[in-house]
Amino acid sequence: MNMRFFFGITLLLIILSLTAGAVFAGSVSFSGTFAGDPTMAVVTISTPNCGSQGVTQVLYDAFPFTVTVTGAYSFSAASTGGSGTRASIYIMNSGFNPAAALGNCIAASNNGNAAASIPATLNNVNLTAGTQYYVVIFDDSLSQTTPGYNFSAN
């Protein structure tokens, strides 16, 4: 094997491993579903604050991320269902324990309204470069029938 080729591939793999999970200054958006997802005990919300640890189980998706620039970030999640469905957001710092999420919950939003096509929004969340966070998107409907969500951050 050519040494330059080997060095180039090795360098590429190192760069990819260092940037995995990183969110760079800019925007990101994706969609997901709650079908077959695990459950966690809900944390009550008074946007933008995390309230108390509840016991009601909700379906969720959790994604670790870091930012490369310290600053204020905004997040939104919209339910892909109609009336009676809701996708909401938690931002966790330093770890995510679905059995006791309140301790790491630094910001949250449940101000969306699927029937009116209004996403849950969370604005001006101060994040520090290089710190690992988790965005947790969860089904915030009483019936746990929200089919999925569209998420964005910038």
Side-chain angles (χ1 to χ4, degrees):
M1 178 182 283
N2 181 326
M3 280 305 275
R4 288 177 55 186
F5 177 76
F6 177 77
F7 179 75
I9 293 297
T10 302
L11 183 60
L12 177 63
L13 291 174
I14 290 170
I15 290 169
L16 288 175
S17 68
L18 291 175
T19 60
V23 174
F24 300 99
S27 298
V28 64
S29 61
F30 58 87
S31 298
T33 69
F34 294 115
D37 281 0
T39 60
M40 64 177 280
V42 71
V43 173
T44 61
I45 298 172
S46 177
T47 303
N49 301 308
C50 307
S52 61
Q53 184 70 59
V55 295
T56 302
Q57 297 293 302
V58 295
L59 297 165
Y60 74 92
D61 284 332
F63 304 95
F65 71 99
T66 59
V67 295
T68 59
V69 177
T70 296
Y73 291 81
S74 297
F75 304 87
S76 73
S79 169
T80 57
S83 182
T85 67
R86 178 183 288 173
S88 295
I89 311 164
Y90 300 129
I91 304 297
M92 307 286 181
N93 70 357
S94 72
F96 171 60
N97 177 358
L102 179 62
N104 291 334
C105 189
I106 61 169
S109 175
N110 65 349
N111 60 7
N113 181 337
S117 298
I118 299 171
T121 56
L122 188 55
N123 297 314
N124 299 314
V125 179
N126 291 314
L127 302 177
T128 303
T131 300
Q132 185 174 49
Y133 297 95
Y134 287 80
V135 61
V136 180
I137 306 162
F138 67 100
D139 181 347
D140 202 7
S141 68
L142 292 176
S143 61
Q144 291 294 279
T145 57
T146 301
Y149 54 86
N150 296 316
F151 173 82
S152 66
N154 60 47

